[in-house]
Amino acid sequence: MTNQKGFTLIEMLIVLLVISVLLIITIPNLTQHNESVREKGCEALTVTTQAQVESYYLENNSFPTVTELLNGGYIKTSTCPNGDTINVDTQTGVVSSQTPPAP
């Protein structure tokens, strides 16, 4: 049994060290970009809602409120991933997002 193959303790420790260094480098980068990802999600929801407002206008010949879009199944939520709320101007049909007031 002198020809056993496998990893030594030193080799395993080196692999764990390399994995730890990679995690230390990547985790802070992920948390720093979290807010950016949420902002992009809000922009995407705003654009999607604008398209649904146009669809509602074509079907009903008037611009909807956010409640009408939700009740009609045009959108599933009026809250962005970053906590902003979606607003629709019922006169022009322009969609915007707004940060809710702090309590």
Side-chain angles (χ1 to χ4, degrees), residues 5 31 52 67:
K5 295 185 180 189
T31 57
Q52 294 304 322
T67 305

Side-chain angles (χ1 to χ4, degrees), residues 10-41:
I10 300 295
E11 291 170 332
M12 293 298 288
L13 289 174
I14 290 172
V15 168
L16 288 174
L17 177 70
V18 169
I19 291 172
S20 298
V21 168
L22 290 174
L23 287 174
I24 288 171
I25 291 171
T26 57
I27 288 177
N29 287 336
L30 292 176
T31 57
Q32 289 174 355
H33 296 294
N34 195 17
E35 187 61 33
S36 173
V37 169
R38 290 180 185 206
E39 288 296 323
K40 297 287 183 191

Side-chain angles (χ1 to χ4, degrees), residues 1-88:
M1 288 214 201
T2 58
N3 192 11
Q4 293 182 350
K5 295 185 180 189
F7 295 109
T8 65
L9 180 60
I10 300 295
E11 291 170 332
M12 293 298 288
L13 289 174
I14 290 172
V15 168
L16 288 174
L17 177 70
V18 169
I19 291 172
S20 298
V21 168
L22 290 174
L23 287 174
I24 288 171
I25 291 171
T26 57
I27 288 177
N29 287 336
L30 292 176
T31 57
Q32 289 174 355
H33 296 294
N34 195 17
E35 187 61 33
S36 173
V37 169
R38 290 180 185 206
E39 288 296 323
K40 297 287 183 191
C42 192
E43 290 174 19
L45 182 61
T46 303
V47 170
T48 302
T49 304
Q50 184 66 56
Q52 294 304 322
V53 166
E54 297 299 326
S55 176
Y56 184 95
Y57 183 80
L58 290 173
E59 292 176 5
N60 300 301
N61 204 24
S62 66
F63 291 115
T65 63
V66 174
T67 305
E68 291 171 333
L69 289 174
L70 288 168
N71 293 339
Y74 289 90
I75 59 175
K76 293 183 181 181
T77 182
S78 63
T79 305
C80 290
N82 65 356
D84 291 359
T85 56
I86 297 294
N87 297 321
V88 178

